[in-house]
Amino acid sequence: MANTGTITAEPAPITLDWSKTALVIIDMQRDFMEPGGFGETLGNDVSQLARAVQPIAAVLAAARDAGMLVVHTREGHLPDLSDAPPAKVERGAPSLRIGDSGPMGRILIRGEAGHDIIPELTPLESEIVIDKPGKGAFYATEFGDILQKYGIENLLVCGVTTEVCVNTTVREANDRGYRCVVISDGCASYFPEFHEMGLKMIKAQGGIFGWVTDSAAVREALAD
Ligand code: C5J
């Protein structure tokens, strides 16, 4: 593999050193993707997220072939809810709250079936899994330290949902100096219009938070 590759992206193509680049897959968990989980308890149509699975799987396979650092994140809380702010648990009018028992175990709790990453994207033993209590991957996690340890400067970001955990993580990363390239078809939202706007916000104003590309462009750049 050449050390660098150029990805067709908006607002402009970007050349990355692959040895300083990580693939970051955000929250592809059963709790968001499947009926009976956190996403559905909030009243969302979880079928809206399925479209991101195949593009992520394709990029994940290419990243594994290339020997790229792969990081998966999971949103969730400790069983005693000590890391779940009451303001988060109490919010809205869900059918089940965080910590309540649902068909995939306790909602959004670490160790429960719903907290698992979907089988199509199961992490390898060698890959990093970051458990996060918030929407962003940096808040109250070891994510930043791990990126520094591996000398990472660039993030290829995908996952769910576009406007919540993907956008929050990209904004956190951008402020910390990382180049973020978001894979449009590898992200999804319960609200298609939020997906579109979430991507537009990233690439607007000359790429104020980062770049937006698609899975085919990433695979092509890696293959080159
Ligand atoms: C949400 C997430 N939507 N992973 N979490 O609550 O985007």
Side-chain angles (χ1 to χ4, degrees), residues 47-219:
S47 71
Q48 289 289 342
L49 304 190
R51 66 191 68 172
V53 175
Q54 192 280 328
I56 296 175
V59 171
L60 177 58
R64 284 172 176 167
D65 282 351
M68 187 181 288
L69 184 73
V70 176
V71 180
H72 304 256
T73 72
R74 300 185 293 203
E75 181 180 345
H77 296 282
L78 297 168
D80 66 2
L81 296 183
S82 57
D83 61 351
K88 179 177 182 182
V89 178
E90 293 162 4
R91 192 142 338 154
S95 55
L96 291 173
R97 291 194 182 275
I98 295 168
D100 287 349
S101 291
M104 292 190 287
R106 292 179 67 204
I107 297 290
L108 219 59
I109 297 295
R110 295 182 191 177
E112 302 287 341
H115 187 257
D116 280 347
I117 291 171
I118 58 170
E120 297 92 319
L121 301 174
T122 299
L124 299 179
E125 282 288 320
S126 57
E127 292 170 353
I128 293 163
V129 179
I130 301 286
D131 282 322
K132 60 185 183 66
K135 305 304 182 191
F138 288 85
Y139 170 67
T141 73
E142 66 281 28
F143 186 48
D145 289 341
I146 286 174
L147 296 180
Q148 275 195 14
K149 178 179 147 194
Y150 284 91
I152 297 299
E153 297 177 359
N154 318 304
L155 306 179
L156 297 175
V157 186
C158 55
V160 297
T161 61
T162 316
E163 79 281 12
V164 183
C165 290
V166 171
N167 248 270
T168 305
T169 298
V170 166
R171 290 169 188 227
E172 287 181 332
N174 182 60
D175 278 350
R176 287 164 172 80
Y178 294 95
R179 296 178 197 90
C180 297
V181 183
V182 177
I183 303 168
S184 56
D185 54 340
C187 297
S189 169
Y190 302 118
F191 308 94
E193 67 274 27
F194 290 178
H195 171 76
E196 291 304 322
M197 289 310 296
L199 297 175
K200 279 186 182 168
M201 287 179 194
I202 288 164
K203 67 187 177 186
Q205 304 178 71
I208 197 141
F209 296 122
W211 290 255
V212 175
T213 186
D214 61 26
S215 58
V218 172
R219 290 163 63 204

